[in-house]
Amino acid sequence: KNQVEQSPQSLIILEGKNCTLQCNYTVSPFSNLRWYKQDTGRGPVSLTIMTFSENTKSNGRYTATLDADTKQSSLHITASQLSDSASYICVVKGAGNMLTFGGGTRLMVKP
Amino acid sequence: DAGVIQSPRHEVTEMGQEVTLRCKPISGHDYLFWYRQTMMRGLELLIYFNNNVPIDDSGMPEDRFSAKMPNASFSTLKIQPSEPRDSAVYFCASTYRGGGTEAFFGQGTRLTVV
């Protein structure tokens, strides 16, 4: 069964600190992996996309990594800001256009 | 393009009533997805359409749920009769054929069944 597991479920950090969110998946075949950011009361918005051959991709203060061998991805947030407070969802695209969603990590950045 | 448009944004209804959620996908997108999001279960795929045809409805929880896509620019998700456990945020998303495509989400409809 295709699954995407994220950890931690929730995280509280102080403004300016770094943090790393984890995503493990069992989706097969694998097409790509996206990290989405979902602000409270809004729909998810894509941050980064990783394909099989990519190991690292950055989008501003967000850096995503992918290890296709171990089927793990991480999202690193550098110098966190209050606006980073949101849920971060790992989504893996498999066969066709099927998307498997992780449960998300709820991040709270405190001043 | 205004993005994926969902209506209403909020819906409060009494148990047993019929609820209809609406979605207008992004023009040119040929895939449309309906998701339900709760604190306990996260985002769950309910059903998706390709070129207006339902492809996979295995996520639809019960016969009380039905979805239609009469044309490329409109879809509905109906719950009849509604129950308190249906309370959730329902998202519609659209995308287009091609590798690595992003699913674009609407703002969601927050449904509360009392």
Side-chain angles (χ1 to χ4, degrees):
Chain A
K1 180 181 178 182
N2 290 337
Q3 286 189 312
V4 176
E5 302 285 343
Q6 289 189 243
S7 61
Q9 281 191 317
S10 61
L11 182 62
I12 301 174
I13 62 173
L14 292 176
E15 186 179 12
K17 297 297 186 182
N18 304 336
C19 66
T20 300
L21 315 180
Q22 301 290 343
C23 173
N24 297 340
Y25 62 92
T26 60
V27 177
S28 181
F30 173 85
S31 179
N32 64 59
L33 182 149
R34 282 187 186 270
W35 283 93
Y36 283 80
K37 179 186 179 187
Q38 184 178 18
D39 293 311
T40 301
R42 310 293 293 269
V45 175
S46 178
L47 288 174
T48 68
I49 178 174
M50 309 281 290
T51 57
F52 187 85
S53 59
E54 295 174 306
N55 299 120
T56 304
K57 184 170 285 187
S58 292
N59 177 4
R61 294 181 296 104
Y62 300 101
T63 299
T65 66
L66 175 66
D67 185 333
D69 292 329
T70 61
K71 298 187 177 181
Q72 295 179 326
S73 176
S74 67
L75 181 69
H76 186 76
I77 304 175
T78 304
S80 60
Q81 300 177 358
L82 298 179
S83 59
D84 293 331
S85 294
S87 289
Y88 292 83
I89 303 171
C90 175
V91 183
V92 180
K93 181 171 179 284
N97 253 27
M98 285 306 302
L99 303 177
T100 303
F101 285 78
T105 293
R106 187 179 297 274
L107 173 66
M108 181 178 295
V109 180
K110 289 192 168 183
Chain B
D1 199 313
V4 175
I5 300 173
Q6 291 186 245
S7 64
R9 288 295 310 276
H10 302 274
E11 177 80 34
V12 180
T13 189
E14 289 185 343
M15 181 175 63
Q17 297 298 308
E18 176 180 296
V19 175
T20 299
L21 312 181
R22 297 173 176 79
C23 175
K24 181 180 185 304
I26 292 174
S27 177
H29 285 189
D30 55 354
Y31 285 84
L32 183 141
F33 305 81
W34 280 102
Y35 292 92
R36 178 172 66 178
Q37 186 176 43
T38 60
M39 287 291 290
M40 292 294 294
R41 301 170 71 95
L43 268 165
E44 302 174 281
L45 177 65
L46 299 177
I47 184 172
Y48 81 95
F49 295 83
N50 178 217
N51 291 322
N52 315 335
V53 176
I55 303 301
D56 184 350
D57 65 354
S58 58
M60 297 285 264
E62 301 172 31
D63 291 344
R64 298 183 295 106
F65 286 70
S66 63
K68 294 182 179 180
M69 191 165 186
N71 57 61
S73 60
F74 184 67
S75 177
T76 60
L77 177 67
K78 184 178 294 185
I79 308 172
Q80 166 64 21
S82 58
E83 296 182 3
R85 60 195 169 112
D86 301 331
S87 297
V89 180
Y90 291 81
F91 285 102
C92 175
S94 70
T95 188
Y96 54 94
R97 183 178 294 277
T101 54
E102 174 182 351
F104 294 84
F105 285 80
Q107 300 274 48
T109 294
R110 180 174 296 276
L111 173 65
T112 303
V113 183
V114 299

